Amino acid sequence: MIEKAFKGSTGYWVWMLFLLSIMGVGGLCYVQQFNYGLGITGMSRDVTWGVYISQFTFLVGVAAGGLMLVLPYYIHNYKAFGRIVILGEFMAIAAIAMCLMFIIADLGQPMRAMNVLLHPTPNSMLFWDMIVLNGYLFLNILCGWVVLQSEYKGVKYPKWIKPFIYLSIPWAISIHTVTAFLYCGLPGRHFWLTAILAPRFLASAFAAGPALLMVIAMILKKTTKFDVGREAQDKLVTIIGYAAMLNFFFLGCEFFVAYYSQIPGHMHTLDYLFWGLGHGDQVYNNLVPFMRASVIMGLAGIALIFVSRAKQSDGLLVISCLLIFIAFWIDKGLGLVLGGFVPSPLEYVTEYVPSVQELGITAAIWATGFFILSILYKVAISVKLEKEA
Amino acid sequence: MDSKRRDFLKIAGLTAIAGIAAPSAFNTLLKGEAIASAGQAAAGGHGAAAPTGKRYGMVIDVKKFTENPGLAEQCVSACHTIHNVPDFGNRKDEVKWIWIESYEHTFPTESQYKRPDALKDMPILTLCNHCDNPPCVRACPTKATYKKKDGIVGMDYHRCIGCRFCMAACPYGARSFNWRDPRGKDANGQPFIKAENPKYPTRMRGVVEKCNFCTERLAIGQIPACVEVAAQTKALVFGDMNDPNSEISQVLKTSFTIQRNPAIGTHPSLFYII
């Protein structure tokens, strides 16, 4: 089946070469980081996690988003997702691969990564995150590949795979819950110390993951004969729209608790993210434009996505999904992790700006993710189109 | 047996197993610390110590540092020299085990309203709190940071993978990361470690470090380096808080002390007389 990835149009090869070139440049940046140390990044003693960990956090959500396709299809027997469910499973594989790469990129001693297995520590949430992420990666490779292979052979998938598919559903919830627990169990960080962090993570995941999938599905519709179908499209609009609304409801709850209680620690980071935090003679606000844009784009995306369905407009659908995806990428891929470090527990304000090398490595990991995704989608779509022809 | 009945029995069986396993799993997760902290909470607020065994602690008499200008700097310098703490000369890469902090930053959770002027310039020594319930130890995925039986929170530089989860977890900003090679030299060829002490290991880049309460000195019967520097003034009192006859126990019994952010349940081993 994998041979399908080696046959493609010129466009396919240009795209793959483009990704490879980004991976090459980023690879060189990583060599620099490996030789110099993490000091080459913009991270500091006060802001100890930067874009690597924030991308990781966001991408766990993208991976968990696959659940919104697997669950209706396999549990509720929702046939309209028949063509798109494999895209969800394969996107989860690429997203988890990116997560693992981002973690490795963030380690000060990457050669010692296996210490997490050599000295298992059940009281650490990072230990559990390692287990659930690798487990989810395994489940999606197994389920996605076996089901697709059966389709390739023209038979129904074997019965033994069903338990694994069912297991992957709570497992998807677990990856994002445990990832939220990395943050919300730390006593000195007010911004993260909130019980709705995991629910909020899940809500944004169930919007951002399917939104990205929808954009890719629309690109495939344009460039190949592969069409996920109108019914699946319309159903996804409902899922993305409501999940996005839920995310904003949770965000609103955070605002209420902070500003109605007037507890300074709860207000500080929200001040920093949305209005700018005054400290000494200076106002620190480098994330304010991003966070405000995130809210506006997210709300506009929700409104437009329902309009797109009413008007049956694919163009508007792509725009609204992009708006929602970017809005949540800013919210989680920037604000959530970086904001947690401002102010520091000693109430110093240190702002963070990623370095060029750091951005190069980040771009390369995204490119690697899309590289994996392209191979997997190439195989899946070739099989699907071949069987239907 | 019809299939519904069989399904029901399966679910019932699984639930029973989960019910039996959950409490023990939860205990493993918290490493029995939930029970320990419950006992302490009953004892009432700050100053509560682990019920038995040795527990090292320190009292910092802040006024004595104002009375003896330069003393705080000497404490910092003694510690950093003995432990080969590198000086990178910038805030971003900074590594520090013990340092001088202002009142408002050491105690941001205390009221800053209508405080005496004297507090403004008061040098306050700040270091690892060696918490009895340390969030950093809970967070570490490799047990590279751990709590010893004598209450000291230690670091294994050879096991640390440099994930910096402990730095996010520490509510006191006590941990430093080696963003670059501490054994290296700056642009002018000056080594970051001015004079290397062969009795204590230097670290490699990519690992976290912090104050170890001079555990290596305690092992050979010496007192912590900072305490030794301040010995004449008694500005720092170090000892076993669980020994009722120790000097620190006497000080804690007779003076009003405060801890940094005691509300979050970490039970610090550092006490301040302001």
Side-chain angles (χ1 to χ4, degrees):
Chain A
M1 215 158 56
I2 190 78
E3 75 279 358
K4 307 257 181 252
F6 297 104
K7 277 178 274 172
S9 63
T10 320
Y12 172 70
W13 289 111
V14 169
W15 168 244
M16 296 306 259
L17 279 175
F18 167 70
L19 292 176
L20 276 172
S21 63
I22 298 177
M23 287 154 71
V25 173
L28 290 176
C29 294
Y30 187 72
V31 170
Q32 268 190 314
Q33 179 184 300
F34 193 85
N35 288 326
Y36 180 88
L38 281 166
I40 211 163
T41 68
M43 292 184 272
S44 60
R45 195 178 186 279
D46 275 354
V47 184
T48 49
W49 284 336
V51 284
Y52 299 149
I53 292 299
S54 60
Q55 300 309 291
F56 149 76
T57 307
F58 176 71
L59 285 164
V60 172
V62 172
L67 171 72
M68 287 291 104
L69 306 164
V70 173
L71 192 135
Y73 182 69
Y74 287 107
I75 302 285
H76 299 285
N77 205 17
Y78 185 68
K79 292 279 183 251
F81 279 175
R83 310 190 74 188
I84 201 171
V85 72
I86 186 74
L87 298 188
E89 286 167 328
F90 280 177
M91 192 160 81
I93 296 174
I96 295 284
M98 282 190 261
C99 290
L100 297 174
M101 282 185 278
F102 274 118
I103 291 182
I104 296 295
D106 189 68
L107 291 184
Q109 285 292 331
M111 309 302 276
R112 293 185 190 161
M114 285 301 143
N115 277 6
V116 179
L117 289 174
L118 289 172
H119 310 285
T121 313
N123 50 288
S124 171
M125 285 302 123
L126 205 56
F127 166 78
W128 289 106
D129 216 28
M130 186 269 306
I131 291 183
V132 292
L133 287 178
N134 284 298
Y136 195 60
L137 179 63
F138 166 76
L139 282 174
N140 276 287
I141 293 175
L142 183 75
C143 299
W145 201 259
V146 167
V147 171
L148 189 66
Q149 187 119 46
S150 310
E151 200 171 328
Y152 183 51
K153 289 181 189 153
V155 294
K156 196 175 155 49
Y157 51 79
K159 256 193 159 165
W160 61 263
I161 196 72
K162 270 273 177 166
F164 290 100
I165 292 171
Y166 291 146
L167 182 63
S168 79
I169 290 166
W171 207 287
I173 309 266
S174 83
I175 61 167
H176 223 15
T177 304
V178 176
T179 304
F181 284 1
L182 291 178
Y183 300 98
C184 68
L186 306 179
R189 308 272 177 188
H190 290 287
F191 181 57
W192 294 335
L193 191 70
T194 163
I196 61 161
L197 198 66
R200 202 178 135 198
F201 270 24
L202 286 166
S204 72
F206 295 156
L212 177 62
L213 197 70
M214 187 74 107
V215 173
I216 295 172
M218 291 298 114
I219 294 171
L220 293 176
K221 196 172 169 180
K222 273 261 182 223
T223 54
T224 69
K225 290 191 201 93
F226 187 77
D227 183 358
V228 296
R230 174 60 63 187
E231 198 188 336
Q233 242 171 275
D234 285 350
K235 192 57 141 191
L236 268 181
V237 166
T238 311
I239 292 171
I240 297 168
Y242 279 103
M245 280 192 249
L246 204 53
N247 179 71
F248 277 105
F249 169 68
F250 288 146
L251 186 64
C253 293
E254 296 281 13
F255 269 84
F256 172 80
V257 169
Y259 289 106
Y260 194 83
S261 74
Q262 292 282 304
I263 297 175
H266 288 264
M267 296 189 290
H268 281 155
T269 299
L270 286 176
D271 280 348
Y272 170 64
L273 290 177
F274 290 93
W275 285 277
L277 182 62
H279 187 83
D281 319 322
Q282 225 182 322
V283 175
Y284 297 88
N285 56 8
N286 70 355
L287 286 174
V288 169
F290 291 101
M291 297 309 289
R292 288 184 180 174
S294 159
V295 172
I296 293 165
M297 288 165 81
L299 293 175
I302 292 171
L304 283 179
I305 200 168
F306 289 109
V307 174
S308 83
R309 186 170 62 184
K311 294 198 167 172
Q312 297 282 296
S313 156
D314 284 358
L316 209 52
L317 179 61
V318 170
I319 292 169
S320 57
C321 284
L322 276 176
L323 283 173
I324 289 174
F325 181 77
I326 296 169
F328 291 168
W329 175 76
I330 294 171
D331 183 37
K332 240 160 70 194
L334 282 179
L336 187 111
V337 175
L338 303 182
F341 292 101
V342 179
S344 74
L346 277 73
E347 297 202 349
Y348 281 105
V349 179
T350 308
E351 289 193 301
Y352 156 88
V353 179
S355 71
V356 175
Q357 288 90 342
E358 202 175 359
L359 291 176
I361 294 167
T362 304
I365 295 175
W366 273 95
T368 313
F370 275 105
F371 191 82
I372 296 169
L373 192 69
S374 303
I375 292 175
L376 292 173
Y377 277 13
K378 181 79 177 48
V379 172
I381 288 161
S382 305
V383 169
K384 293 252 175 198
L385 290 177
E386 197 173 288
K387 288 296 131 184
E388 283 167 16
Chain B
M1 203 165 16
D2 64 69
S3 72
K4 272 195 177 157
R5 189 175 144 80
R6 191 158 57 200
D7 283 347
F8 171 76
L9 287 175
K10 268 189 213 161
I11 292 166
L14 281 176
T15 316
I17 293 167
I20 294 160
S24 71
F26 207 68
N27 271 342
T28 324
L29 207 63
L30 293 173
K31 270 190 149 177
E33 274 165 10
I35 298 153
S37 66
Q40 285 172 11
H46 100 258
T52 52
K54 196 176 263 190
R55 186 178 168 200
Y56 285 122
M58 189 190 277
V59 174
I60 299 171
D61 192 340
V62 175
K63 268 197 205 116
K64 296 215 166 119
F65 287 98
T66 320
E67 287 162 12
N68 298 279
L71 181 62
E73 286 82 355
Q74 285 168 30
C75 291
V76 173
S77 146
C79 167
H80 286 183
T81 311
I82 283 177
H83 294 116
N84 294 321
V85 175
D87 178 10
F88 294 108
N90 68 68
R91 239 180 83 80
K92 183 178 173 290
D93 294 326
E94 193 178 22
V95 176
K96 52 190 180 187
W97 285 27
I98 176 170
W99 69 100
I100 299 162
E101 198 58 81
S102 68
Y103 177 81
E104 58 166 317
H105 291 298
T106 316
F107 297 100
T109 53
E110 298 286 321
S111 170
Q112 309 294 332
Y113 188 59
K114 303 263 184 203
R115 284 278 172 188
D117 289 344
L119 279 182
K120 261 187 202 145
D121 308 310
M122 207 170 250
I124 301 186
L125 279 184
T126 314
L127 57 150
C128 171
N129 271 292
H130 297 278
C131 305
D132 200 33
N133 185 14
C136 55
V137 171
R138 253 191 330 263
C140 178
T142 61
K143 302 189 191 87
T145 193
Y146 48 88
K147 204 178 102 188
K148 302 202 308 168
K149 284 204 178 95
D150 55 11
I152 295 179
V153 176
M155 261 306 298
D156 183 342
Y157 314 120
H158 301 279
R159 188 183 283 189
C160 175
I161 60 172
C163 69
R164 309 186 296 294
F165 199 5
C166 57
M167 295 178 81
C170 177
Y172 304 107
R175 294 177 159 268
S176 304
F177 181 71
N178 286 284
W179 294 103
R180 50 187 303 193
D181 187 2
R183 295 163 184 160
K185 293 183 171 104
D186 65 13
N188 303 321
Q190 290 295 314
F192 296 126
I193 301 168
K194 297 282 171 304
E196 197 180 311
N197 170 20
K199 287 186 189 153
Y200 196 81
T202 55
R203 274 73 67 192
M204 66 196 305
R205 96 175 118 73
V207 298
V208 172
E209 59 182 79
K210 64 166 197 76
C211 157
N212 64 355
F213 249 5
C214 283
T215 186
E216 83 285 359
R217 290 168 58 91
L218 294 172
I220 53 171
Q222 292 175 318
I223 56 171
C226 55
V227 182
E228 194 174 87
V229 169
Q232 279 200 329
T233 59
K234 303 233 178 207
L236 298 175
V237 178
F238 177 86
D240 179 7
M241 297 189 291
N242 282 350
D243 173 2
N245 300 317
S246 67
E247 190 185 357
I248 189 168
S249 290
Q250 298 307 316
V251 174
L252 288 172
K253 250 182 239 168
T254 52
S255 317
F256 176 74
T257 58
I258 59 171
Q259 288 169 300
R260 293 172 67 193
N261 202 356
I264 55 173
T266 50
H267 301 288
S269 301
L270 255 54
F271 299 82
Y272 289 86
I273 301 174
I274 303 294

